[in-house]
Amino acid sequence: MNVSDANKGFFKKLSQRVDAITENRATTGNDFVENFDGLRAIAALMVFSLHVGAPYFVLGPAGVWLFFTLSGYLLYSGFLKFEDGAGVSIVTAYLVRRVFRIMPLYALFVVAYAYIFRTWDNEFGPSWALEHLLFISADMHLWTVKTEMIFYLFLPFMVLSLHPVKSPQLRLGILILMALGGWYLLEVKQLIQFHGGWPYLAPFVLGMAAVHLKNHAGPRLSRMLVVLSLVTIGIFSSGFEWTTAIQKRFGLHHLSQLWGFGYLFYLPCAALVLGVAKIKSPIWGNRWLRLIGVCGYGFYLWHLPFIHLFQSWEWPTPIFEIISFTATLIVSITTYLLAEKPGIVIGRKISRWVRADHRQFSIFRPVWLCMSLVVLFFGVRHAYMSNADIEFELEIWASKSAKTQIFLDNGKGFSESRAGIASIKSHEWQVVPIRLSEVKVRKLRLDPGNTSGEYRLRRISVRFPLQDHARELDLSKFSAWSGIERLSHIGDYLSIIVKPGQKDPVLSYDAKLDQPRYSKRDLLIGLSLFSALIFYLACMFSSRWMNWYSMAKQRRF
């Protein structure tokens, strides 16, 4: 066997492996589902091109909006299969599928990123991982995953709200109005912040609206929509001289402003999804493009850490881009087979059981479930975005202008992430406030200044979020830790003499702080859970009471 035959055999086996990964995809009516894999791959590559610094084009924002639009189209299409409405078993099955679709690979990525690409320390440790697994924080590109999860939560509520409307044309109009309202209220007025990302609701809802137009789009119109959409996205995402002139007419003066000009891309993204759904194309359905699309979620998660890793090695640009792409693709395929696909299979099995056995959910109502989840979401969101700071106040004097710092140790050591800083002037007494995010404080450390000389501390007080009044700390409980030449009490103040040349003097507070057992955030989260439960029980018992009352009234007459 010659080299040519060996190469043919290798590529044939490789193609068979790719086909094995991309087969058995879920169908969505009469749509060409393989095209959606290709479209998802294009969106992932658009985001990848942004982070590797591809020249002339800034396609990342359009790729994110395309992801949101495609999610709205596919998920809403799934709900429309159930013409009798989305019962609680359907809603529960949907949520189960979404959780098992997203969480296994997401959890693997969060833990692996903290361990492998970062150091599992005070900044990137269990607390960082937990905040991201609960979608409280959203660093780097993870804000899009958090935003998607919020959309998943609100989609059943939107579907139930549309259920009484039987006319597809009227539903289309309502969805377009919802998209306009979401764009104006959430993006223009920014009434709600999702604490980690932009609330791009408009492209998601326009993807839902596109579902009601697919029966009106024939093959010829679909091809026109695809071409026009790609041209429009290219014009507003490119940095050529003639495209820049067009962009300035719409107020876009630099491509770095693209995240604030999403409305230029929302309709092209919806038209692209609608057009791709109705045409048979060897491009969108290409097996290699579909491979990236099927593993697109993992590709999106893993690409940025690998880009940052290989950027530090200072390779030539072409080699850096090729190695970053190859490493991301290999890891995304591996994690798809080991984590993502098993999660999808488990989620489907559980959702089938949920849909099949309606008796398990006979006492529930879908509106109650959705409303309870909405109440829970806003309650937890308010808890984590509320003002829960520890407030310190120092009355201090310094022989030189300097910066004073307070560090808190929550059992994992002192860290810059749990430190507050304030500037102090020379030769004058001043009251300095310092605010720190609330944590369980085990130890307190005071760095009086960053220069040598004398510092005088007359008073230091602390107030925790659930306390009405500040509590003054006992100055006699401070002890010299490092960099201190002499520590003495003179009159009503504590004199601190820093060693010559020392720029990091440290005092340690050796007494316990009178911190409440439960933080404000803990109580607010508990109150949110309790409120959601009470709301749900009130809905259930009021419905049962109304049924009993109507039956009693019928028996009377």
Side-chain angles (χ1 to χ4, degrees), residues 65-183:
W65 297 321
L66 189 55
F67 270 125
F68 291 157
T69 307
L70 187 57
S71 293
Y73 184 94
L74 293 175
L75 295 176
Y76 185 59
S77 298
F79 269 108
L80 290 184
K81 294 178 183 179
F82 306 98
E83 297 180 358
D84 57 342
V88 72
S89 61
I90 302 301
V91 173
T92 306
Y94 154 80
L95 292 174
V96 167
R97 287 198 308 273
R98 288 294 91 196
V99 168
F100 279 91
R101 170 72 174 82
I102 297 297
M103 288 308 298
L105 181 55
Y106 183 76
L108 175 63
F109 171 80
V110 167
V111 175
Y113 178 78
Y115 261 114
I116 299 173
F117 295 94
R118 297 283 183 170
T119 55
W120 188 261
D121 56 10
N122 296 326
E123 186 175 0
F124 291 92
S127 59
W128 181 89
L130 182 61
E131 287 182 1
H132 283 76
L133 290 175
L134 296 177
F135 298 102
I136 296 163
S137 299
D139 293 341
M140 306 179 302
H141 59 315
L142 299 182
W143 69 268
T144 59
V145 183
K146 177 180 178 178
T147 304
E148 281 268 356
M149 291 297 289
I150 294 172
F151 293 161
Y152 296 163
L153 177 62
F154 278 81
L155 178 61
F157 187 72
M158 290 190 286
V159 171
L160 290 168
S161 302
L162 290 171
H163 180 62
V165 181
K166 302 302 180 184
S167 169
Q169 292 80 7
L170 188 55
R171 284 191 178 189
L172 174 63
I174 293 173
L175 287 171
I176 292 176
L177 290 176
M178 288 174 61
L180 287 173
W183 166 74

Side-chain angles (χ1 to χ4, degrees), residues 336-356:
Y336 171 79
L337 296 174
L338 296 179
E340 187 178 354
K341 189 174 181 179
I344 295 173
V345 172
I346 294 172
R348 285 176 180 172
K349 290 181 179 179
I350 297 176
S351 65
R352 289 194 192 104
W353 172 80
V354 170
R355 290 204 310 266

Side-chain angles (χ1 to χ4, degrees), residues 37 216 220 457 459 471 493 515:
D37 292 333
H216 303 283
R220 185 174 180 181
L457 182 64
R459 177 178 60 85
R471 171 179 173 267
Y493 63 84
Q515 183 176 15

